[in-house]
Amino acid sequence: MLKNYFKTAWRSLVRGKSFSFINIAGLAAGMAGAILILLWLQHEISFDKFHSKKDDLYEVYGLTSNTDGHPFAIPVVSQPLAPALKQNYPEVAAATRVKDLGHFLFTADNKSFTNVAASIVDPSFLQMFDFPLVKGNTAAQLTNIYSITITEKFAKKLFGTTDAMGKTIRIDSVDNFTVTGILKDLPSNTRFEFDCLLPWDYLKKLGEGYSNDSWMSNNTPTYVLLKPNTNVAAFNEKIKDLTRRNTGRTQIWTHFLFPLKQWHLYSEFENGKPVTGRIESVRIFAIIAAFILLIACINFMNLSTARSEKRAKEVGIRKVAGAGKNLLIGQFITEAFLTALLAGVIGLLIVQLTLPYFNTLINTELVVPYNSLYFWLAASGFVVFTSLLAGSYPAFYLSSFKPVSIFKKQFKSTQAVLTPRRVLVVLQFTFAVVLIISTIVIRNQVVFAQSRDTGFSRNDLIHVNFAGDIEKNYPLIKQELMNAGVAASVTKTMTGITQGGTHTWGLRWKGEMPKDTNTTITIFSSDADFVKTAGLKLIAGRDIDINKYPGDSLSVILNETAVKLMGFKDPIGAIIERPYANLNMTVVGVVKDYITGSPYEEIPPVVIEGPNAWFNTMHIKLNAANSTTDNLAKAEKIFKTYNAAYPFEYHFVDEEYAIKFNDEQKTKTLAGLFSALAIIISCLGLFGLSAYVAESRVKEIGVRKVLGASAFNITQLLSLDFVKLVFIALLIASPLAWYAMNKWLENYTYRVSISWTIFLIAGAVAIIIALLTVSFQAIKAAIANPVKSLRTE
């Protein structure tokens, strides 16, 4: 019986070649699109889930207040907190801090590299997280101040095919480290990114700017492993006031634990609770995958039922010959399964061919796990599910025909206003229009944020991170850059301007309110000419200049938001106190707000300090009178003179700012790509459906032409029905898309409004595409010779 099902199904596919091609092509494209999305979704959902202790791993967060007094969660805490948790709380099995070590020179076997992702961690790190060693003993790692654990990839980069175990790596031409372990390369689905691990004790040797024993300085990601069955809610209450107890300050931040399972997908907090994040993208693309597959299945349903007249006699004869309804349903489901199976094979081939490009687009490394039994079980289930989804309605529809009605040709009801086929076309284009509108809204949001005034000048601005002897020779480098005409101005700062700076709390000022002193404030630093170099807009006062005003080591500049927070009517000359550092700083200038973090969020209060803070980079405003190439070539010679052991590495500020849009750009591109795929699949089905409609009305068209109807009249007649359906789809899709995208935009403080023109554009695009698709068959039918269609009458 089963063999007969497949034989008959194959004959049916071969007999209707054009129908089969459209069905298989549509399903293959839909399945390929859905598979690509599902691979990405699985990758997103699996982040850091491979750790065996994932259920007991947590990140320690701080909870403070933002400018409007609402709780504000931060993923960094003070460095003394981790050992305090381990020593004083029996619920903690292990704790580790993770600090990135940037801009250092790594040398081995006469090879030197500076772009090395190095992390300084506590020895317990590798016991908490499952990053397996290829060589070495986990318990022996990071126990010596001069030991280093490296990845396989970094080992090959430094030592080639030579065994790296026991080899020496020199860091910054100062310290020699011995390789004690080699890690398997990190998977792509982890938040951690490092080429090597260094022991925490080494951080203390590096001194200020790295090691900080103050409870008031939050700058270090910290993780804890709780003992099994620990009551997390009760433990959170125990550690909540830990920093307050160690500082004697009762109004500063509190702490809570954030579980590993939510790290990747729930990175956005509201009132101190994780509410959203990448989970929004996961949900959006899960819906898109469902839409694409459903659109492809609707094609199959429509084309199968459209051929009902041709299949009707077959059904009638089978029923007269004794075939029951269940037998016919089995036959048609088998046809659907065979179609879905062929489409699945072709879809998988499409996925394999397009996956490298898709990986480049989303900047990750997805692979099809062919060697996994679960993959093949899931793939089989996916094909069966698709065949049932696509084939169930046609199977029940076709098998329900009565032999008497079939042979009397009374089984059709083409005059009905509302038919399942029309409903499915409306549903199909509703999904497509929702995707078109969503793509336009996402694109507008990205453009809106990109056009936002940054508050600083990105043109011809670069920054160079301090490495080697740059900081020591900074005055000489600055002078030579100016003398050579390379730079219009130079300043040294804490971080790059697009990187924000650091965060602090507890600043005091005259007329302060208790809630205001606990607000998160961004701290930046400069020695001189920062306003000039970055192109900030000075509203009042002057720039910091330690060369001209030696007392500027205790001077600060505020942005507009900081002035508003502190309530200064005349901020120039006001005193700001930092109690935990015993510093009284004087306000010498006010600048217009500039973007320090996300371009989609509100600008925080910023305090730009003079050189009492640490510095880690220098900004150079290149001389616009020269070409960028000439400026950089001259700058490289100067840096080589004073920092010969290091390559000249610089970063364009405009390129770093553009990186802030990567996630939304990726969402925009993917939404656009899959919207286009949905439209193509919809049009493919519409093309086939219009062909069958034209074929079924060929005698009517012939009569109309004989009676004087023009080709335009015939084309209009055949096209109008489909355009009406697309218009109805637009009316249904518009409020759905508005609601969905309005919810998405709520994730952004700085967001675009959804204009009515978006719906107009989406509607016009859908109707034009539908018209172009249908008109081909309509025109073909309209210009056909009526004699051929009527000669049998």
Side-chain angles (χ1 to χ4, degrees):
M1 179 67 73
L2 193 61
K3 180 180 178 181
N4 183 58
Y5 275 167
F6 277 100
K7 186 184 292 185
T8 307
W10 177 255
R11 287 173 181 170
S12 177
L13 291 178
V14 173
R15 189 165 56 247
K17 291 184 178 65
S18 58
F19 159 78
S20 300
F21 172 79
I22 291 174
N23 261 341
I24 292 172
L27 274 178
M31 292 171 85
I35 290 169
L36 285 173
I37 294 175
L38 290 173
L39 284 174
W40 178 77
L41 292 179
Q42 193 277 333
H43 180 266
E44 291 292 299
I45 293 169
S46 68
F47 251 70
D48 282 311
K49 302 293 175 58
F50 57 86
H51 299 296
S52 60
K53 301 168 184 172
K54 59 182 179 293
D55 292 336
D56 297 312
L57 283 167
Y58 297 83
E59 185 174 11
V60 186
Y61 265 61
L63 190 62
T64 181
S65 301
N66 57 18
T67 52
D68 59 8
H70 289 113
F72 176 68
I74 55 170
V76 288
V77 295
S78 62
Q79 292 179 13
L81 190 136
L85 288 173
K86 180 65 178 72
Q87 293 167 13
N88 302 322
Y89 296 88
E91 297 92 338
V92 178
T96 184
R97 296 158 289 188
V98 179
K99 190 80 171 174
D100 291 336
L101 181 70
H103 327 312
F104 278 55
L105 184 71
F106 286 71
T107 304
D109 275 6
N110 297 317
K111 299 175 186 175
S112 296
F113 302 95
T114 53
N115 291 321
V116 178
S119 293
I120 299 181
V121 299
D122 286 290
S124 55
F125 179 83
L126 291 175
Q127 296 162 22
M128 295 168 61
F129 297 99
D130 292 348
F131 296 113
L133 286 163
V134 177
K135 292 183 179 180
N137 182 358
T138 300
Q141 302 306 306
L142 309 169
T143 55
N144 185 292
I145 189 173
Y146 293 115
S147 64
I148 185 171
T149 307
I150 63 178
T151 62
E152 283 184 292
K153 184 178 179 181
F154 192 45
K156 290 175 184 176
K157 190 175 181 180
L158 289 174
F159 303 105
T161 56
T162 305
D163 186 2
M165 286 294 289
K167 295 288 186 181
T168 299
I169 299 176
R170 192 168 180 80
I171 296 182
D172 234 22
S173 304
V174 175
D175 298 311
N176 292 322
F177 286 77
T178 301
V179 177
T180 59
I182 300 175
L183 292 165
K184 185 178 179 180
D185 287 334
L186 273 59
S188 60
N189 59 337
T190 178
R191 65 153 47 183
F192 298 102
E193 297 179 13
F194 55 80
D195 296 313
C196 62
L197 297 173
L198 296 167
W200 188 263
D201 288 343
Y202 184 62
L203 193 77
K204 298 175 182 177
K205 181 180 182 299
L206 293 175
E208 189 178 356
Y210 294 94
S211 180
N212 189 331
D213 291 330
S214 171
W215 282 87
M216 294 294 291
S217 180
N218 292 328
N219 54 38
T220 305
T222 298
Y223 306 91
V224 297
L225 174 66
L226 297 184
K227 292 178 181 177
N229 303 317
T230 297
N231 185 323
V232 179
F235 184 73
N236 275 334
E237 284 299 314
K238 290 178 70 173
I239 68 167
K240 180 179 178 181
D241 297 325
L242 183 58
T243 297
R244 292 180 174 182
R245 292 195 296 269
N246 280 275
T247 59
R249 301 191 62 174
T250 59
Q251 298 296 320
I252 59 173
W253 55 91
T254 56
H255 298 291
F256 68 93
L257 300 186
F258 184 44
L260 176 147
K261 293 179 180 179
Q262 293 183 307
W263 286 355
H264 186 66
L265 297 179
Y266 292 89
S267 57
E268 301 292 331
F269 288 74
E270 187 175 295
N271 294 326
K273 303 291 184 182
V275 290
T276 186
R278 295 182 69 86
I279 188 65
E280 290 298 322
S281 295
V282 167
R283 288 169 179 160
I284 288 171
F285 284 102
I287 293 171
I288 289 176
F291 278 5
I292 289 173
L293 188 61
L294 195 54
I295 286 170
C297 290
I298 288 173
N299 276 357
F300 185 93
M301 296 179 196
N302 275 338
L303 292 176
S304 295
T305 55
R307 295 178 74 237
S308 59
E309 185 176 357
K310 289 190 174 183
R311 302 297 300 272
K313 289 182 181 179
E314 175 192 339
V315 172
I317 291 171
R318 283 177 178 273
K319 283 197 170 185
V320 169
K325 184 174 182 179
N326 290 339
L327 194 68
L328 290 170
I329 289 173
Q331 176 62 54
F332 292 125
I333 288 291
T334 303
E335 287 184 21
F337 175 75
L338 187 58
T339 302
L341 183 61
L342 292 172
V345 172
I346 296 170
L348 200 57
L349 181 61
I350 293 171
V351 167
Q352 193 60 46
L353 293 173
T354 58
L355 194 56
Y357 305 100
F358 188 68
N359 282 336
T360 301
L361 188 67
I362 62 176
N363 193 30
T364 191
E365 286 300 322
L366 302 179
V367 293
V368 181
Y370 293 112
N371 58 347
S372 169
L373 176 62
Y374 294 108
F375 167 75
W376 291 112
L377 290 174
S380 302
F382 186 62
V383 170
V384 171
F385 172 76
T386 303
S387 62
L388 290 174
L389 182 64
S392 56
Y393 169 63
F396 283 99
Y397 176 74
L398 293 172
S399 64
S400 66
F401 292 162
K402 295 178 180 178
V404 174
S405 299
I406 291 170
F407 294 121
K408 288 185 176 182
K409 295 187 177 180
Q410 295 174 343
F411 65 93
K412 293 190 294 181
S413 58
T414 55
Q415 300 304 313
V417 175
L418 186 66
T419 63
R421 197 180 307 148
R422 287 176 175 172
V423 171
L424 289 173
V425 170
V426 170
L427 185 63
Q428 191 176 43
F429 270 88
T430 297
F431 294 153
V433 172
V434 166
L435 292 177
I436 292 173
I437 293 171
S438 300
T439 301
I440 296 172
V441 172
I442 294 170
R443 178 257 177 200
N444 287 356
Q445 171 65 5
V446 173
V447 172
F448 184 66
Q450 286 176 330
S451 62
R452 184 181 183 183
D453 182 13
T454 60
F456 60 89
S457 174
R458 290 168 282 168
N459 297 330
D460 298 317
L461 184 61
I462 66 171
H463 75 87
V464 179
N465 294 318
F466 285 168
D469 294 330
I470 292 180
E471 185 171 16
K472 182 178 72 174
N473 294 324
Y474 169 75
L476 297 173
I477 293 172
K478 177 179 179 178
Q479 190 60 48
E480 288 223 23
L481 289 171
M482 298 295 292
N483 291 343
V486 172
S489 60
V490 180
T491 184
K492 63 178 177 180
T493 57
M494 181 181 290
T495 63
I497 189 170
T498 61
Q499 296 163 8
T502 63
H503 306 290
T504 194
W505 300 260
L507 299 184
R508 312 293 295 270
W509 57 87
K510 186 177 180 180
E512 67 189 30
M513 298 290 288
K515 69 177 183 66
D516 294 335
T517 62
N518 295 316
T519 298
T520 305
I521 292 177
T522 297
I523 297 294
F524 207 70
S525 64
S526 167
D527 67 329
D529 297 327
F530 177 61
V531 172
K532 178 182 177 182
T533 304
L536 302 182
K537 298 177 179 65
L538 196 64
I539 296 174
R542 60 174 176 82
D543 197 354
I544 290 173
D545 190 341
I546 193 67
N547 302 312
K548 189 174 181 181
Y549 305 99
D552 271 0
S553 59
L554 292 176
S555 295
V556 296
I557 297 173
L558 307 180
N559 72 343
E560 292 173 295
T561 302
V563 172
K564 183 179 179 181
L565 170 72
M566 296 175 182
F568 295 141
K569 292 183 179 179
D570 183 12
I572 304 303
I575 303 297
I576 297 175
E577 180 186 356
R578 184 185 280 185
Y580 54 87
N582 294 319
L583 293 176
N584 289 323
M585 301 173 290
T586 304
V587 178
V588 297
V590 177
V591 293
K592 186 178 176 62
D593 282 343
Y594 65 96
I595 296 173
T596 61
S598 170
Y600 300 101
E601 304 300 334
E602 62 184 11
I603 295 173
V606 177
V607 175
I608 304 168
E609 298 183 351
N612 67 73
W614 51 273
F615 295 104
N616 202 33
T617 190
M618 60 188 291
H619 285 79
I620 304 169
K621 185 71 171 181
L622 298 175
N623 188 346
N626 307 324
S627 70
T628 303
T629 304
D630 288 344
N631 281 332
L632 293 176
K634 291 177 182 178
E636 183 175 12
K637 290 180 180 179
I638 294 170
F639 276 90
K640 277 292 184 182
T641 301
Y642 295 101
N643 196 37
Y646 286 71
F648 173 53
E649 294 182 345
Y650 54 88
H651 307 271
F652 283 100
V653 170
D654 58 349
E655 292 178 357
E656 291 199 332
Y657 184 74
I659 293 172
K660 294 177 181 286
F661 299 93
N662 279 358
D663 284 348
E664 284 71 22
Q665 287 279 22
K666 190 186 300 180
T667 302
K668 180 193 77 170
T669 304
L670 289 176
L673 175 68
F674 291 115
S675 295
L677 181 62
I679 287 291
I680 290 170
I681 296 171
S682 298
C683 289
L684 196 61
L686 201 60
F687 180 83
L689 196 58
S690 62
Y692 279 107
V693 169
E695 185 180 341
S696 66
R697 300 177 70 176
V698 65
K699 290 183 173 60
E700 176 194 342
I701 293 169
V703 171
R704 287 178 179 274
K705 290 195 73 175
V706 168
L707 294 175
S710 65
F712 175 77
N713 296 140
I714 300 298
T715 302
Q716 187 181 43
L717 173 71
L718 295 176
S719 302
L720 194 59
D721 281 345
F722 290 105
V723 172
K724 287 178 181 176
L725 297 179
V726 175
F727 184 74
I728 293 170
L730 175 64
L731 294 179
I732 298 171
S734 294
L736 293 176
W738 178 87
Y739 176 79
M741 296 318 297
N742 197 55
K743 294 292 290 182
W744 180 75
L745 287 170
E746 285 178 0
N747 296 320
Y748 303 97
T749 304
Y750 190 81
R751 56 181 179 262
V752 72
S753 59
I754 303 177
S755 168
W756 63 270
T757 56
I758 293 174
F759 303 99
L760 190 64
I761 293 169
V765 169
I767 290 172
I768 290 170
I769 291 174
L771 266 175
L772 291 174
T773 304
V774 174
S775 61
F776 176 82
Q777 293 293 349
I779 293 170
K780 182 181 176 182
I783 63 176
N785 188 347
V787 175
K788 291 182 180 180
S789 60
L790 297 175
R791 64 185 174 185
T792 57
E793 295 297 321

